[in-house]
Amino acid sequence: MEKVFLVCPSCRTRLSFAAVAGYQDKIVECPICHFKAKANVYQGGNVAKGGNGADSQTQMPTQLSGAMQSKNDLGQIRVVNTKQCCPLKLGTNVIGRIAQSGKADIQITNDPYMSRRHLQIDVVKTNYGIEHHLVEINSKNIIKLNGAPINRNDILKLNFGYKLTLGIIDIYLEETDEEATQIV
Ligand SMILES: [Zn+2]
């Protein structure tokens, strides 16, 4: 059976369920943040690789290919303990804990060591492809990059596979794949 991919408008987790007839009118409850609405209120969660990334005609200059990591994929973050996959969008993505007010764009868990707005990942389009920048936003709680604490006001370039620790929660920056939280 074919799957429908949706992105929760509240916490931005990618969700999937079986494409039954008339699913658009089905009430879908996000298992992560418990947002509840008809399926057609959720955003489409297409997972076509690079589909919403850089223009396909953007080419690496040949002398540079292989010398640096080129990305056309906006990427996603994967939360280790909840297995949430949240697609990133071009521009600013603030990540934090699940909250009713002052919430982040991407909400992961309700861990008390996680700030409501804990860190920011900027997805930037350059001539050489997509870049991911980790931006420190004066969070009360610590942020580690690949195990090492980052400093106030740091802006650091991220590659796919990098691990970020927010409080006690590990998340990975990854290429977009088809992982999604299954709705039953
Ligand atoms: Zn949600």
Side-chain angles (χ1 to χ4, degrees):
M1 163 99 41
E2 225 176 293
K3 272 187 192 168
V4 183
F5 289 97
L6 302 172
V7 175
C8 173
S10 181
C11 70
R12 227 200 286 166
T13 299
R14 189 189 301 119
L15 308 169
S16 75
F17 61 91
V20 293
Y23 74 84
Q24 293 91 340
D25 288 326
K26 229 180 113 173
I27 299 287
V28 172
E29 180 174 352
C30 172
I32 303 293
C33 72
H34 302 292
F35 177 85
K36 227 177 190 175
K38 280 187 179 178
N40 60 13
V41 172
Y42 285 71
Q43 305 150 29
N46 269 346
V47 287
K49 248 192 188 165
N52 44 5
D55 300 334
S56 51
Q57 67 265 32
T58 305
Q59 285 290 332
M60 288 280 291
T62 38
Q63 71 272 21
L64 281 176
S65 59
M68 57 186 285
Q69 189 176 2
S70 151
K71 299 183 281 195
N72 286 322
D73 185 351
L74 297 181
Q76 65 185 20
I77 59 156
R78 184 170 55 86
V79 184
V80 173
N81 69 327
T82 59
K83 298 185 168 63
Q84 268 173 278
C85 283
C86 303
L88 295 169
K89 64 176 169 63
L90 205 58
T92 295
N93 299 265
V94 175
I95 301 169
R97 120 171 95 81
I98 292 172
Q100 293 304 316
S101 64
K103 63 194 180 92
D105 304 316
I106 295 176
Q107 297 177 73
I108 51 176
T109 82
N110 40 25
D111 181 82
Y113 296 103
M114 173 97 63
S115 300
R116 281 192 293 193
R117 299 168 68 84
H118 200 121
L119 71 75
Q120 180 177 320
I121 295 176
D122 286 348
V123 180
V124 184
K125 199 169 173 175
T126 74
N127 290 336
Y128 302 106
I130 298 289
E131 283 186 7
H132 293 86
H133 299 161
L134 168 66
V135 182
E136 204 279 334
I137 51 172
N138 216 23
S139 153
K140 271 207 318 274
N141 295 301
I142 200 163
I143 298 166
K144 289 181 187 165
L145 174 59
N146 294 327
I150 71 165
N151 299 311
R152 283 274 176 246
N153 307 314
D154 267 354
I155 299 179
L156 302 163
K157 203 172 148 184
L158 302 175
N159 286 326
F160 289 141
Y162 279 17
K163 180 173 84 169
L164 297 162
T165 308
L166 287 67
I168 55 169
I169 306 295
D170 288 335
I171 67 174
Y172 283 90
L173 174 68
E174 292 184 338
E175 284 179 68
T176 303
D177 64 19
E178 292 207 350
E179 288 296 308
T181 302
Q182 191 92 30
I183 297 177
V184 283

